[in-house]
Amino acid sequence: MNKQKLTMLCVALAGLIFIPSVFFNKPLFALIGAFFDWLPLPTGWMKAEKEINRTTFGF
C-alpha cells in the first residue's frame, strides 16, 4: 500500500470515529479519532514523493 492510500485510510478512519464521538458526546472516542488523524504526520506518509512544480499550479 502506498503512502497516499495509507494517509487517506487513516483520515477516513479518523472521520468515521470522530464525527459520531462528537454527536454522542464521547470524548475518549474523539481522542482515538484524533490519533488516527495525527498518525500520518510522524510516520512520514504525508511527505511528497516528488517535487511539485509550483509555477504552473499542476497544469
Side-chain angles (χ1 to χ4, degrees):
M1 202 176 263
N2 64 11
K3 292 179 182 181
Q4 184 180 6
K5 288 182 183 177
L6 287 171
T7 300
M8 295 307 288
L9 179 68
C10 278
V11 171
L13 187 60
L16 288 174
I17 295 170
F18 187 74
I19 292 170
S21 71
V22 171
F23 186 72
F24 293 112
N25 195 19
K26 301 289 183 184
L28 181 61
F29 289 112
L31 186 63
I32 295 168
F35 172 77
F36 281 107
D37 198 31
W38 168 81
L39 186 62
L41 290 172
T43 57
W45 297 340
M46 292 186 70
K47 289 184 181 176
E49 294 179 0
K50 61 180 182 177
E51 186 65 30
I52 299 169
N53 185 356
R54 298 183 189 276
T55 58
T56 60
F57 302 107
F59 298 116

